[in-house]
Amino acid sequence: MACASHANKQTVSVSATDDQIVAQITLTINDKEVAVSNSSSLSYNWNTRKRGRSENSTHTVTVQVSDQAGNSASKTITVYN
């Protein structure tokens, strides 16, 4: 998982590899599903600055990947802005 920053906008890029074919990647930010890909990569443009939020916020970003055999794995990171 990688993030590229442009002021209050972030591009979250995810790529996954497996010995099986990657069936799905799901991106969740702050417990809300924001993007799904049915391939081995995903890109999401995220505006980290929302009205009503303070200048300094903490966000939880989770990626879940599953393969055609039904196996899955996830990774969670905390993003501070």
Side-chain angles (χ1 to χ4, degrees):
M1 180 174 10
C3 294
S5 177
H6 301 291
N8 293 320
K9 295 183 180 179
Q10 304 288 325
T11 300
V12 179
S13 299
V14 179
S15 62
T17 58
D18 190 63
D19 61 347
Q20 300 288 321
I21 294 174
V22 173
Q24 188 174 68
I25 300 174
T26 304
L27 176 65
T28 305
I29 299 176
N30 298 329
D31 297 322
K32 181 180 176 191
E33 186 178 289
V34 295
V36 175
S37 173
N38 293 321
S39 70
S40 62
S41 65
L42 177 144
S43 183
Y44 176 73
N45 294 317
W46 173 30
N47 182 356
T48 60
R49 181 78 186 263
K50 300 287 184 183
R51 279 188 215 152
R53 290 202 177 171
S54 66
E55 289 279 331
N56 298 314
S57 298
T58 303
H59 306 281
T60 303
V61 179
T62 302
V63 173
Q64 182 166 356
V65 178
S66 58
D67 66 17
Q68 288 186 334
N71 302 308
S72 65
S74 65
K75 173 79 175 181
T76 300
I77 63 169
T78 302
V79 177
Y80 303 92
N81 72 319

